[in-house]
Amino acid sequence: MSIDSVHMNVMLKTEAIARLVDVFRQYGYDGTSMAKIAEATGLGKSSLYHHFPGGKEEMATAVLDYLSQCLNTGLLAPLQQSGEPLDRLRAMNRNIDQYYNHGQKACLLAMLAMGESSDRFRTQVSHILNSWIEAIAEVLIEADFEPELARQRAEDAIIQIQGAIILTQGLSTTAPFKRILNHLPETLLQPVIPSGLL
Amino acid sequence: MSIDSVHMNVMLKTEAIARLVDVFRQYGYDGTSMAKIAEATGLGKSSLYHHFPGGKEEMATAVLDYLSQCLNTGLLAPLQQSGEPLDRLRAMNRNIDQYYNHGQKACLLAMLAMGESSDRFRTQVSHILNSWIEAIAEVLIEADFEPELARQRAEDAIIQIQGAIILTQGLSTTAPFKRILNHLPETLLQPVIPSGLL
DNA sequence: GTCTATATTTTGATAGAC
DNA sequence: GTCTATCAAAATATAGAC
């Protein structure tokens, strides 16, 4: 086996996984059938079982691994670069807006975190969510927030994004998602109001 | 057919629907099989098709109708009673905390709003969400907020609740849900900060 | 590595007895 | 109204040729 063929295989498998992200997040774990997977990847069922002997569950696991990498290299990269915290949060926002298509596309994490399939992917989902939260919290800590408050606000950011996606899909309008996302950077960096002002 | 038997049938069918709420919200639409439905209701498949000729889809529709009634009579009732806005929002909160079991139980609306099944239930889901939002907005309007801001904050409430459920399940801890729910009434009624203060 | 063909199980749904 | 028995279709998964 030549080095080239190894690279080719890796590329093709990664390409297949990349396409599976959209399948799983559109149909959910239970709604994703081998037939849909075969169609999306252009591979026959036997080829798929060759690459993923564990079947659908192994594919979903691979998809989560792939998403974890995408999150680190794509979504969270701008958070860890130099620059103003506000600018870095806005850069993340642009990536989020694109990934979720203004809230019209579902979140893979949410799809796999709910339902009976959640047990199998709990560890992976939890790990990815924590990476995301911690990356945001880091920025807030650099902006001089206490670590506990930074973590809390970072969690709030994920909560608002996830909730906005649900409301956007439930109401069939992208307005809530756009509004939430627009306000997110400033909300996260909003100074704590001294209690004496209330 | 006697009047009694009619009442008995209605009761039994409602009882069956009530049990189906938990099935659909636990497994989602695709993950809910007739076998699971039969087990949850204690009825055979043929009996189920007798009551719901449209099969699974008609059951989900009935479940959403039932939830809509529950929302009006149970969840939103305290919002429309007399009393301080803060107390009314807190009463709703107690119902929410119970219904979602501190965020550990999924939201039926979210389960049916996402995935490929969403198309079939879009109208119903949208209607229920709007009822909920408008009921909260009414309270905020009574608390002297402008209608537009009241609607926005009511949407924010749903967003935070839905997002908190996802994070709670994704991180396997009820902490985010409890925190969000605790702060919700005060957050909703928080006075607008005059821009001169910033 | 990919394919065709097939096996096995599960699914949604129906027929017909009681 | 509920049941048993059954159906056709779709699901997951495998065997084996190339």
Side-chain angles (χ1 to χ4, degrees), chain B residues 79-107:
Chain B
L79 287 181
Q80 290 148 357
Q81 289 171 356
S82 62
E84 287 296 311
L86 187 60
D87 293 330
R88 286 190 269 169
L89 290 173
R90 281 176 176 159
M92 179 188 73
N93 259 27
R94 283 189 292 273
N95 288 339
I96 290 174
D97 191 43
Q98 187 177 17
Y99 178 73
Y100 292 116
N101 193 28
H102 317 299
Q104 291 175 293
K105 284 193 178 181
C107 178

Short mmCIF file of all heavy atoms in Angstrom, two decimals, chain B residues 79-107:
data_model
loop_
_atom_site.label_atom_id
_atom_site.label_comp_id
_atom_site.label_asym_id
_atom_site.label_seq_id
_atom_site.Cartn_x
_atom_site.Cartn_y
_atom_site.Cartn_z
N LEU B 79 -50.28 32.79 35.40
CA LEU B 79 -49.86 34.07 34.81
C LEU B 79 -51.02 35.04 34.68
O LEU B 79 -50.84 36.25 34.73
CB LEU B 79 -49.23 33.83 33.41
CG LEU B 79 -47.86 33.20 33.37
CD1 LEU B 79 -47.39 33.06 31.93
CD2 LEU B 79 -46.86 34.02 34.17
N GLN B 80 -52.22 34.47 34.47
CA GLN B 80 -53.37 35.33 34.18
C GLN B 80 -54.19 35.66 35.42
O GLN B 80 -55.22 36.33 35.32
CB GLN B 80 -54.25 34.65 33.11
CG GLN B 80 -53.56 34.63 31.74
CD GLN B 80 -53.95 33.41 30.92
OE1 GLN B 80 -54.69 32.55 31.39
NE2 GLN B 80 -53.43 33.32 29.70
N GLN B 81 -53.76 35.18 36.57
CA GLN B 81 -54.50 35.52 37.78
C GLN B 81 -54.06 36.88 38.31
O GLN B 81 -53.10 37.48 37.82
CB GLN B 81 -54.27 34.43 38.84
CG GLN B 81 -54.99 33.13 38.47
CD GLN B 81 -54.61 32.00 39.37
OE1 GLN B 81 -53.75 32.14 40.24
NE2 GLN B 81 -55.24 30.85 39.17
N SER B 82 -54.76 37.34 39.33
CA SER B 82 -54.39 38.62 39.91
C SER B 82 -53.19 38.42 40.83
O SER B 82 -52.89 37.32 41.27
CB SER B 82 -55.58 39.19 40.69
OG SER B 82 -55.91 38.32 41.75
N GLY B 83 -52.54 39.50 41.11
CA GLY B 83 -51.37 39.41 41.99
C GLY B 83 -50.18 40.13 41.38
O GLY B 83 -50.24 40.63 40.25
N GLU B 84 -49.12 40.20 42.12
CA GLU B 84 -47.92 40.87 41.64
C GLU B 84 -47.32 40.11 40.45
O GLU B 84 -47.27 38.88 40.48
CB GLU B 84 -46.89 40.93 42.77
CG GLU B 84 -47.21 41.94 43.85
CD GLU B 84 -47.22 43.37 43.32
OE1 GLU B 84 -46.25 43.74 42.62
OE2 GLU B 84 -48.21 44.09 43.57
N PRO B 85 -46.87 40.82 39.44
CA PRO B 85 -46.22 40.17 38.28
C PRO B 85 -45.10 39.22 38.71
O PRO B 85 -45.00 38.11 38.19
CB PRO B 85 -45.66 41.35 37.49
CG PRO B 85 -46.60 42.47 37.78
CD PRO B 85 -47.03 42.26 39.20
N LEU B 86 -44.29 39.64 39.66
CA LEU B 86 -43.18 38.79 40.11
C LEU B 86 -43.69 37.47 40.69
O LEU B 86 -43.13 36.40 40.40
CB LEU B 86 -42.34 39.54 41.16
CG LEU B 86 -41.06 38.84 41.61
CD1 LEU B 86 -40.12 38.62 40.44
CD2 LEU B 86 -40.37 39.65 42.71
N ASP B 87 -44.75 37.54 41.47
CA ASP B 87 -45.32 36.32 42.06
C ASP B 87 -45.89 35.41 40.99
O ASP B 87 -45.76 34.19 41.06
CB ASP B 87 -46.41 36.68 43.07
CG ASP B 87 -45.84 37.40 44.28
OD1 ASP B 87 -44.67 37.12 44.62
OD2 ASP B 87 -46.55 38.23 44.87
N ARG B 88 -46.52 36.02 40.01
CA ARG B 88 -47.12 35.20 38.94
C ARG B 88 -46.03 34.50 38.13
O ARG B 88 -46.17 33.33 37.77
CB ARG B 88 -47.97 36.09 38.03
CG ARG B 88 -49.29 36.49 38.69
CD ARG B 88 -50.19 37.16 37.68
NE ARG B 88 -50.00 38.62 37.65
CZ ARG B 88 -50.51 39.40 36.72
NH1 ARG B 88 -51.22 38.88 35.74
NH2 ARG B 88 -50.31 40.70 36.77
N LEU B 89 -44.94 35.21 37.84
CA LEU B 89 -43.85 34.58 37.10
C LEU B 89 -43.21 33.47 37.93
O LEU B 89 -42.80 32.43 37.39
CB LEU B 89 -42.80 35.64 36.72
CG LEU B 89 -43.26 36.65 35.66
CD1 LEU B 89 -42.21 37.75 35.49
CD2 LEU B 89 -43.51 35.96 34.33
N ARG B 90 -43.13 33.68 39.23
CA ARG B 90 -42.56 32.64 40.09
C ARG B 90 -43.45 31.40 40.12
O ARG B 90 -42.97 30.28 40.20
CB ARG B 90 -42.36 33.19 41.51
CG ARG B 90 -41.11 34.06 41.62
CD ARG B 90 -40.99 34.67 43.00
NE ARG B 90 -39.75 35.43 43.15
CZ ARG B 90 -39.55 36.37 44.06
NH1 ARG B 90 -40.52 36.68 44.91
NH2 ARG B 90 -38.39 37.01 44.13
N ALA B 91 -44.76 31.64 40.07
CA ALA B 91 -45.69 30.49 40.05
C ALA B 91 -45.50 29.69 38.77
O ALA B 91 -45.47 28.45 38.79
CB ALA B 91 -47.13 30.99 40.16
N MET B 92 -45.34 30.40 37.65
CA MET B 92 -45.07 29.69 36.39
C MET B 92 -43.78 28.90 36.50
O MET B 92 -43.70 27.75 36.07
CB MET B 92 -44.98 30.69 35.23
CG MET B 92 -44.66 30.02 33.88
SD MET B 92 -44.31 31.17 32.53
CE MET B 92 -42.68 31.76 33.00
N ASN B 93 -42.78 29.50 37.10
CA ASN B 93 -41.49 28.85 37.26
C ASN B 93 -41.61 27.52 37.99
O ASN B 93 -40.96 26.54 37.62
CB ASN B 93 -40.54 29.77 38.03
CG ASN B 93 -39.57 30.47 37.10
OD1 ASN B 93 -39.90 30.67 35.94
ND2 ASN B 93 -38.42 30.84 37.61
N ARG B 94 -42.39 27.49 39.02
CA ARG B 94 -42.54 26.24 39.78
C ARG B 94 -43.13 25.15 38.90
O ARG B 94 -42.71 24.00 38.94
CB ARG B 94 -43.42 26.49 41.02
CG ARG B 94 -42.69 27.20 42.15
CD ARG B 94 -43.52 27.21 43.43
NE ARG B 94 -44.73 28.05 43.32
CZ ARG B 94 -44.76 29.35 43.57
NH1 ARG B 94 -43.66 29.98 43.95
NH2 ARG B 94 -45.90 30.02 43.47
N ASN B 95 -44.10 25.55 38.07
CA ASN B 95 -44.69 24.57 37.15
C ASN B 95 -43.67 24.09 36.12
O ASN B 95 -43.61 22.90 35.81
CB ASN B 95 -45.89 25.18 36.43
CG ASN B 95 -47.08 25.36 37.35
OD1 ASN B 95 -47.17 24.70 38.39
ND2 ASN B 95 -48.00 26.24 36.99
N ILE B 96 -42.89 25.01 35.62
CA ILE B 96 -41.86 24.66 34.62
C ILE B 96 -40.84 23.71 35.23
O ILE B 96 -40.47 22.70 34.64
CB ILE B 96 -41.16 25.94 34.11
CG1 ILE B 96 -42.12 26.75 33.24
CG2 ILE B 96 -39.91 25.58 33.31
CD1 ILE B 96 -41.57 28.10 32.82
N ASP B 97 -40.40 24.05 36.43
CA ASP B 97 -39.38 23.21 37.08
C ASP B 97 -39.90 21.79 37.27
O ASP B 97 -39.15 20.82 37.09
CB ASP B 97 -39.01 23.83 38.44
CG ASP B 97 -37.78 23.18 39.04
OD1 ASP B 97 -36.81 22.95 38.28
OD2 ASP B 97 -37.78 22.90 40.25
N GLN B 98 -41.16 21.69 37.61
CA GLN B 98 -41.75 20.37 37.81
C GLN B 98 -41.90 19.63 36.48
O GLN B 98 -41.52 18.46 36.37
CB GLN B 98 -43.12 20.52 38.49
CG GLN B 98 -43.76 19.21 38.90
CD GLN B 98 -45.08 19.44 39.62
OE1 GLN B 98 -45.66 20.53 39.52
NE2 GLN B 98 -45.55 18.43 40.32
N TYR B 99 -42.43 20.32 35.49
CA TYR B 99 -42.67 19.67 34.19
C TYR B 99 -41.38 19.14 33.57
O TYR B 99 -41.33 18.03 33.04
CB TYR B 99 -43.36 20.65 33.23
CG TYR B 99 -43.60 20.08 31.85
CD1 TYR B 99 -44.59 19.12 31.64
CD2 TYR B 99 -42.83 20.48 30.77
CE1 TYR B 99 -44.80 18.58 30.38
CE2 TYR B 99 -43.04 19.95 29.51
CZ TYR B 99 -44.03 19.01 29.32
OH TYR B 99 -44.24 18.47 28.07
N TYR B 100 -40.32 19.92 33.67
CA TYR B 100 -39.05 19.51 33.06
C TYR B 100 -38.15 18.76 34.03
O TYR B 100 -37.04 18.38 33.66
CB TYR B 100 -38.32 20.74 32.50
CG TYR B 100 -39.02 21.37 31.32
CD1 TYR B 100 -39.52 22.66 31.39
CD2 TYR B 100 -39.18 20.67 30.13
CE1 TYR B 100 -40.16 23.25 30.31
CE2 TYR B 100 -39.82 21.25 29.05
CZ TYR B 100 -40.30 22.54 29.14
OH TYR B 100 -40.93 23.11 28.07
N ASN B 101 -38.63 18.54 35.23
CA ASN B 101 -37.84 17.83 36.25
C ASN B 101 -36.42 18.40 36.36
O ASN B 101 -35.44 17.68 36.19
CB ASN B 101 -37.81 16.33 35.93
CG ASN B 101 -37.30 15.50 37.09
OD1 ASN B 101 -37.44 15.89 38.25
ND2 ASN B 101 -36.67 14.38 36.78
N HIS B 102 -36.36 19.71 36.62
CA HIS B 102 -35.08 20.43 36.77
C HIS B 102 -34.23 20.38 35.50
O HIS B 102 -33.00 20.43 35.57
CB HIS B 102 -34.28 19.88 37.94
CG HIS B 102 -35.10 19.61 39.16
ND1 HIS B 102 -35.78 20.60 39.83
CD2 HIS B 102 -35.37 18.46 39.82
CE1 HIS B 102 -36.42 20.07 40.86
NE2 HIS B 102 -36.20 18.78 40.87
N GLY B 103 -34.88 20.25 34.36
CA GLY B 103 -34.15 20.24 33.09
C GLY B 103 -33.71 18.86 32.65
O GLY B 103 -33.08 18.70 31.60
N GLN B 104 -34.05 17.85 33.45
CA GLN B 104 -33.62 16.50 33.09
C GLN B 104 -34.55 15.84 32.07
O GLN B 104 -34.15 14.91 31.38
CB GLN B 104 -33.55 15.62 34.36
CG GLN B 104 -32.41 16.03 35.29
CD GLN B 104 -32.43 15.24 36.58
OE1 GLN B 104 -33.33 15.37 37.39
NE2 GLN B 104 -31.42 14.41 36.75
N LYS B 105 -35.80 16.32 32.02
CA LYS B 105 -36.70 15.79 31.01
C LYS B 105 -36.73 16.72 29.81
O LYS B 105 -36.77 17.95 29.97
CB LYS B 105 -38.11 15.62 31.59
CG LYS B 105 -38.26 14.41 32.50
CD LYS B 105 -39.73 14.13 32.77
CE LYS B 105 -39.92 12.91 33.65
NZ LYS B 105 -41.35 12.62 33.89
N ALA B 106 -36.75 16.16 28.64
CA ALA B 106 -36.70 16.96 27.42
C ALA B 106 -38.00 17.72 27.21
O ALA B 106 -39.02 17.46 27.88
CB ALA B 106 -36.43 16.06 26.22
N CYS B 107 -37.98 18.67 26.30
CA CYS B 107 -39.18 19.44 25.95
C CYS B 107 -39.80 18.82 24.72
O CYS B 107 -39.14 18.66 23.68
CB CYS B 107 -38.82 20.90 25.70
SG CYS B 107 -40.26 21.89 25.21
#
